[in-house]
């Protein structure tokens, strides 16, 4: 409100911001630990959630997918609203929505209410961009970089702890609702904490929100995913499937036209067509497909009773969390080791090697999934590849972008990756739904072939990502 006072207010703040910002970084780290905890902590509980609410393994993919769909819209929307009205304000709103959504998930009496709760958790993906904007606004460049590194590390730490802690809690309580109330309590606590010692960002931009872009993107994604998710049992050539898919495609075309004509678009569509960066964005989309899309199928495979389905290991939440732990450890090692490896061989070869490792890991799942040990080893290498990709991809994309557009490029990468994850839920639900014969025909659960097909799709996506990274036009600007 005091736009004319910045020059005068610039002198007093120097003494307060250092103390205030130090407190802010600590609080933001707590929020990121919560974020990682919530995002990964639900994975080992998915089979129990399916049994508790009588959800089929194919439909369970939507529990992951709808949250990513909401996130794909929330990330650019909350970022833009933060630029206009303050990042602290939008951070508080995001935390409040996440808290409400997490409580709804914990108390959901049925599938539809559960999905509503997951939609309300969508802003969780917007927390890190909002926090980065805050620290960049309030800290010198060197301090901001260290703060951002700590935030990313906190997210990883929370993700690592989430699966194991939730498995332990589930084992101790033996009550899914009580177990889900633990992350709900953590999310609720974050809301009042956000009102303690968190200064507002000082910079503001003019302009408006591209509400037409928000509405069109949301409607297009809902239509596309609704059509894909309806293709169960291989029934792709039906009005209930083709109609929504065609509607979604038309809405996407309209959305692109609107974004190209908008002076302040929700998403910078032009960057997606740049010959230097387009292949990397395509790889990021595919990364989202196999990274997010494999979470629910892997958990339900571990939980499947081999006496009933002919596959799986009949594991509980704690055992699933322990089997998934090597993937988390591998991911942390990969992300921390990316810079050292890239200094030796370069970021592009590192990214290609990461995607190649992911493809081989999915192939191992498809061929060797008869024992927990085989799956755990595959998970460790899968996590290592994913960690390397997470560390290398933003750098590759940013370095292929004009210096003045690096912020836009980083945000667009995150959005494209999330969109890939949202699409994956519908695609993998359809794939699993098409394999309901054999020993599981009477139960309506997917056969073993459905999981093999999912892993093969993951391997193909990773393989195509290798190709996209390889054929991308090289940056002609001097390195460094």
């Amino acid at each position: 409100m005091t736009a004319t006072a910045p020059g005068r207010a610039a002198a007093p703040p120097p003494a307060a911001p250092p103390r205030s910002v130090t407190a802010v970084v600590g609080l933001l780290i707590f929020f990121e630990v919560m974020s990682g905890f919530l995002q990964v902590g639900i994975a080992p509980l998915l089979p129990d959630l399916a049994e508790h609410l009588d959800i089929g393994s194919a439909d369970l993919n939507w529990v992951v997918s709808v949250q990513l769909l909401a996130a794909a819209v929330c990330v650019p929307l909350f970022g833009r609203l933060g630029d206009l009205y303050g990042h602290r304000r939008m951070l508080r709103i995001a935390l409040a929505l996440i808290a409400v959504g997490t409580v709804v998930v914990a108390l959901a009496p049925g599938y539809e209410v559960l999905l509503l709760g997951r939609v309300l958790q969508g802003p969780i993906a917007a927390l890190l961009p909002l926090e980065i904007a805050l620290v960049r606004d309030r800290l010198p460049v060197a301090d901001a970089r260290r703060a951002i590194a700590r935030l990313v590390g906190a997210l990883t730490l929370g993700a690592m702890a989430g699966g194991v802690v939730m498995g332990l809690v589930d084992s101790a309580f033996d009550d899914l609702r009580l177990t889900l109330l633990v992350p709900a309590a953590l999310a609720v606590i974050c809301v009042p904490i956000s009102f303690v010692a968190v200064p507002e960002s000082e910079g503001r931009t003019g302009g408006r929100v591209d509400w037409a872009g928000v509405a069109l993107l949301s409607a297009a994604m809902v239509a596309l995913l609704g059509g894909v998710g309806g293709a169960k049992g291989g029934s792709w050539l039906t009005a209930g499937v083709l109609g929504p898919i065609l509607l979604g495609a038309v809405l996407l075309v309209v959305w692109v036209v609107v974004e190209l004509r908008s002076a302040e678009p929700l998403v910078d569509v032009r960057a997606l067509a740049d010959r230097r960066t387009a292949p990397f964005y395509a790889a990021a989309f595919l990364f989202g497909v196999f990274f997010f899309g494999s979470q629910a199928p892997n958990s339900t495979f571990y939980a499947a009773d081999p006496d009933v389905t002919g596959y799986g290991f009949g594991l509980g939440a704690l055992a699933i969390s322990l089997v998934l732990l090597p993937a988390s450890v591998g991911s942390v090692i990969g992300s921390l080791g990316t810079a050292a490896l890239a200094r030796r061989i370069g970021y592009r070869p590192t990214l290609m090697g990461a995607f190649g490792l992911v493809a081989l890991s999915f192939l191992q799942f498809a061929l060797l999934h008869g024992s927990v040990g085989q799956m755990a080893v595959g998970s460790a290498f899968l996590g290592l590849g994913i960690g390397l990709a997470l560390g290398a991809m933003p750098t590759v994309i940013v370095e292929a972008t004009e210096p003045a557009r690096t912020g836009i490029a980083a945000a667009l990468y995150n959005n494209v990756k999330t969109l890939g994850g949202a699409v994956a839920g519908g695609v993998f639900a359809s794939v699993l739904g098409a394999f309901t014969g054999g020993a599981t025909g009477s139960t309506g659960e997917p056969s073993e072939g459905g999981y093999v097909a999912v892993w093969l799709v993951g391997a193909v996506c990773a393989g195509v990502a290798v190709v996209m990274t390889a054929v991308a036009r090289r940056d002609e600007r001097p390195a460094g």
Side-chain angles (χ1 to χ4, degrees), residues 289-393:
V289 171
F290 62 71
F291 175 48
F292 294 111
S294 63
Q295 291 178 4
N298 282 5
S299 293
T300 55
F301 184 87
Y302 289 133
D305 185 348
D307 294 332
V308 176
T309 61
Y311 61 81
F313 312 107
L315 301 182
L318 177 57
I320 292 174
S321 67
L322 294 176
V323 174
L324 293 176
L325 185 59
S328 299
V329 174
S331 180
V332 171
I333 293 173
S335 60
L336 293 177
T338 299
L341 181 60
R343 279 195 296 269
R344 291 178 174 272
I345 65 175
Y347 273 95
R348 185 193 294 248
T350 297
L351 186 58
M352 291 172 62
F355 287 142
L357 187 58
V358 168
L360 291 175
S361 299
F362 276 119
L363 283 177
Q364 184 205 315
F365 285 158
L367 298 173
L368 301 172
H369 49 265
S371 72
V372 174
Q374 291 174 341
M375 297 290 288
V377 170
S379 292
F381 284 106
L382 177 64
L384 180 61
I386 285 174
L388 287 169
L390 285 171
M393 221 176 341

Side-chain angles (χ1 to χ4, degrees), residues 12-296:
R19 293 194 298 271
S20 177
V21 170
T22 299
V24 168
V25 172
L27 294 175
L28 298 185
I29 286 175
F30 181 74
F31 299 154
E32 279 310 302
V33 170
M34 180 275 296
S35 175
F37 193 97
L38 262 64
Q39 291 183 61
V40 176
I42 193 158
L45 301 178
L46 288 173
D48 288 348
L49 199 57
E51 182 180 354
H52 179 68
L53 298 178
D54 194 23
I55 306 170
S57 295
D59 290 334
L60 193 62
N61 287 274
W62 286 100
V63 176
V64 176
S65 188
V66 295
Q67 191 269 334
L68 292 169
L69 172 60
V73 177
C74 287
V75 169
L77 176 60
F78 274 65
R80 181 59 179 153
L81 289 171
D83 292 340
L84 292 173
Y85 304 114
H87 299 99
R88 180 184 66 178
R89 177 180 298 179
M90 296 314 302
L91 180 67
R92 290 171 174 172
I93 293 173
L95 288 169
L97 289 172
I98 293 163
V100 172
T102 308
V103 172
V104 170
V105 167
L107 303 178
Y111 183 51
E112 292 76 13
V113 178
L114 173 67
L115 294 183
L116 172 62
R118 292 291 287 169
V119 169
L120 290 172
Q121 288 179 325
I124 199 167
L127 292 182
L128 185 59
L130 289 171
E131 291 159 357
I132 289 175
L134 269 173
V135 299
R136 290 177 66 181
D137 181 80
R138 304 291 298 192
L139 286 172
V141 174
D143 291 339
R145 287 174 178 170
R146 285 194 291 271
I148 291 170
R150 290 175 186 172
L151 290 173
V152 174
L155 177 64
T156 307
L157 177 63
M160 245 180 98
V164 176
V165 171
M166 290 301 286
L168 288 170
V169 171
D170 182 68
S171 178
F173 288 170
D174 196 24
D175 185 311
L176 180 63
R177 199 174 294 283
L178 285 176
T179 301
L180 289 173
L181 283 173
V182 171
L186 183 62
V188 169
I189 290 171
C190 286
V191 178
I193 288 178
S194 68
F195 285 84
V196 178
V198 178
E200 182 60 277
S201 53
E202 296 178 337
R204 290 290 189 280
T205 61
R208 59 182 181 82
V209 178
D210 178 21
W211 291 111
V214 173
L216 284 169
L217 178 61
S218 302
M221 292 303 298
V222 169
L224 285 171
L225 295 179
V228 171
K232 296 180 181 179
S235 56
W236 284 87
L237 301 178
T238 63
V241 173
L242 291 178
I245 289 178
L246 290 175
L247 174 62
V250 171
L251 289 173
L252 270 182
V253 172
V254 175
W255 174 71
V256 169
V257 172
V258 169
E259 295 300 279
L260 288 174
R261 293 181 177 179
S262 175
E264 299 172 275
L266 178 72
V267 175
D268 186 12
V269 176
R270 287 182 177 86
L272 296 176
D274 189 301
R275 290 175 56 194
R276 189 166 52 197
T277 56
F280 293 132
Y281 286 123
F285 179 86
L286 293 168
F287 176 82
V289 171
F290 62 71
F291 175 48
F292 294 111
S294 63
Q295 291 178 4

